[in-house]
CSV table of all heavy atoms in Angstrom, one decimal:
chain,number,residue,atom,x,y,z
B,50,GLY,N,86.8,70.1,87.8
B,50,GLY,CA,88.2,69.9,87.3
B,50,GLY,C,89.0,69.0,88.2
B,50,GLY,O,90.2,68.9,88.0
B,51,SER,N,88.4,68.4,89.1
B,51,SER,CA,89.2,67.5,90.0
B,51,SER,C,89.5,66.2,89.4
B,51,SER,O,90.3,65.4,90.0
B,51,SER,CB,88.4,67.4,91.4
B,51,SER,OG,87.1,66.8,91.1
B,52,GLY,N,88.8,65.8,88.4
B,52,GLY,CA,89.0,64.5,87.7
B,52,GLY,C,87.9,63.5,87.9
B,52,GLY,O,88.1,62.3,87.5
B,53,LYS,N,86.8,63.9,88.5
B,53,LYS,CA,85.7,63.0,88.8
B,53,LYS,C,85.2,62.3,87.5
B,53,LYS,O,85.1,61.1,87.4
B,53,LYS,CB,84.5,63.7,89.4
B,53,LYS,CG,84.8,64.5,90.7
B,53,LYS,CD,83.5,65.1,91.2
B,53,LYS,CE,82.8,66.1,90.3
B,53,LYS,NZ,83.4,67.4,90.2
B,54,THR,N,84.9,63.2,86.5
B,54,THR,CA,84.3,62.7,85.3
B,54,THR,C,85.3,61.8,84.5
B,54,THR,O,84.9,60.8,83.9
B,54,THR,CB,83.8,63.8,84.4
B,54,THR,OG1,82.7,64.5,85.2
B,54,THR,CG2,83.1,63.4,83.1
B,55,THR,N,86.6,62.2,84.6
B,55,THR,CA,87.6,61.4,83.9
B,55,THR,C,87.6,60.0,84.5
B,55,THR,O,87.7,59.0,83.8
B,55,THR,CB,88.9,62.1,84.0
B,55,THR,OG1,88.9,63.4,83.4
B,55,THR,CG2,90.0,61.3,83.3
B,56,LEU,N,87.6,60.0,85.8
B,56,LEU,CA,87.6,58.7,86.5
B,56,LEU,C,86.4,57.8,86.1
B,56,LEU,O,86.5,56.6,85.8
B,56,LEU,CB,87.7,58.9,88.0
B,56,LEU,CG,87.6,57.6,88.9
B,56,LEU,CD1,88.8,56.7,88.5
B,56,LEU,CD2,87.7,58.0,90.4
B,57,LEU,N,85.2,58.5,86.1
B,57,LEU,CA,84.0,57.8,85.8
B,57,LEU,C,84.1,57.3,84.3
B,57,LEU,O,83.6,56.2,84.0
B,57,LEU,CB,82.8,58.7,85.9
B,57,LEU,CG,81.4,57.9,86.0
B,57,LEU,CD1,81.3,57.2,87.3
B,57,LEU,CD2,80.3,58.9,85.8
B,58,SER,N,84.6,58.1,83.4
B,58,SER,CA,84.7,57.7,82.0
B,58,SER,C,85.6,56.5,81.8
B,58,SER,O,85.3,55.6,81.0
B,58,SER,CB,85.3,58.9,81.2
B,58,SER,OG,84.4,60.0,81.3
B,59,ILE,N,86.7,56.5,82.6
B,59,ILE,CA,87.6,55.3,82.5
B,59,ILE,C,86.9,54.1,83.1
B,59,ILE,O,87.0,53.0,82.5
B,59,ILE,CB,88.9,55.6,83.2
B,59,ILE,CG1,89.7,56.7,82.4
B,59,ILE,CG2,89.8,54.4,83.3
B,59,ILE,CD1,90.9,57.3,83.1
B,60,LEU,N,86.2,54.3,84.2
B,60,LEU,CA,85.5,53.1,84.8
B,60,LEU,C,84.4,52.6,83.8
B,60,LEU,O,84.1,51.4,83.8
B,60,LEU,CB,84.8,53.5,86.1
B,60,LEU,CG,85.7,53.9,87.3
B,60,LEU,CD1,84.8,54.2,88.5
B,60,LEU,CD2,86.7,52.8,87.6
B,61,GLY,N,83.8,53.5,83.0
B,61,GLY,CA,82.8,53.2,82.1
B,61,GLY,C,83.3,52.6,80.8
B,61,GLY,O,82.6,52.4,79.9
B,62,CYS,N,84.6,52.5,80.7
B,62,CYS,CA,85.3,52.0,79.5
B,62,CYS,C,85.0,52.8,78.3
B,62,CYS,O,84.9,52.3,77.1
B,62,CYS,CB,84.9,50.5,79.2
B,62,CYS,SG,85.1,49.4,80.6
B,63,VAL,N,84.8,54.1,78.5
B,63,VAL,CA,84.6,55.0,77.3
B,63,VAL,C,85.8,55.9,77.1
B,63,VAL,O,85.9,56.7,76.2
B,63,VAL,CB,83.3,55.8,77.4
B,63,VAL,CG1,82.1,55.0,77.4
B,63,VAL,CG2,83.3,56.7,78.7
B,64,LEU,N,86.8,55.7,78.0
B,64,LEU,CA,88.0,56.5,77.9
B,64,LEU,C,89.2,55.6,78.4
B,64,LEU,O,89.1,54.9,79.3
B,64,LEU,CB,87.9,57.7,78.9
B,64,LEU,CG,89.0,58.8,78.8
B,64,LEU,CD1,89.0,59.5,77.4
B,64,LEU,CD2,88.8,59.8,79.9
B,65,ARG,N,90.3,55.7,77.6
B,65,ARG,CA,91.5,54.9,78.0
B,65,ARG,C,92.4,55.6,79.0
B,65,ARG,O,92.6,56.8,78.8
B,65,ARG,CB,92.3,54.7,76.7
B,65,ARG,CG,91.6,53.8,75.7
B,65,ARG,CD,91.7,52.3,76.2
B,65,ARG,NE,91.4,51.4,75.1
B,65,ARG,CZ,91.4,50.1,75.3
B,65,ARG,NH1,91.8,49.6,76.4
B,65,ARG,NH2,91.1,49.3,74.3
B,66,PRO,N,92.9,54.9,80.0
B,66,PRO,CA,93.8,55.6,80.9
B,66,PRO,C,95.2,55.7,80.2
B,66,PRO,O,95.5,55.0,79.3
B,66,PRO,CB,93.9,54.6,82.1
B,66,PRO,CG,93.5,53.3,81.5
B,66,PRO,CD,92.6,53.5,80.3
B,67,THR,N,96.0,56.7,80.7
B,67,THR,CA,97.3,56.8,80.2
B,67,THR,C,98.2,55.8,80.9
B,67,THR,O,99.1,55.2,80.3
B,67,THR,CB,97.9,58.2,80.5
B,67,THR,OG1,96.9,59.2,80.0
B,67,THR,CG2,99.2,58.5,79.8
B,68,ALA,N,98.0,55.6,82.2
B,68,ALA,CA,98.7,54.5,82.9
B,68,ALA,C,97.9,54.0,84.0
B,68,ALA,O,96.9,54.6,84.4
B,68,ALA,CB,100.0,55.2,83.5
B,69,GLY,N,98.2,52.8,84.5
B,69,GLY,CA,97.5,52.2,85.6
B,69,GLY,C,96.7,51.0,85.1
B,69,GLY,O,96.6,50.7,83.9
B,70,ARG,N,96.0,50.4,86.1
B,70,ARG,CA,95.3,49.2,85.8
B,70,ARG,C,93.9,49.4,86.3
B,70,ARG,O,93.6,49.8,87.4
B,70,ARG,CB,96.0,48.0,86.6
B,70,ARG,CG,95.5,46.7,86.2
B,70,ARG,CD,96.6,45.6,86.7
B,70,ARG,NE,96.1,44.3,86.3
B,70,ARG,CZ,95.6,43.5,87.2
B,70,ARG,NH1,95.5,43.8,88.5
B,70,ARG,NH2,95.2,42.3,86.9
Side-chain angles (χ1 to χ4, degrees):
Chain B
S51 58
K53 306 185 296 289
T54 298
T55 298
L56 177 57
L57 196 74
S58 301
I59 293 171
L60 296 182
C62 305
V63 293
L64 189 67
R65 290 285 192 177
T67 308
R70 189 162 179 260

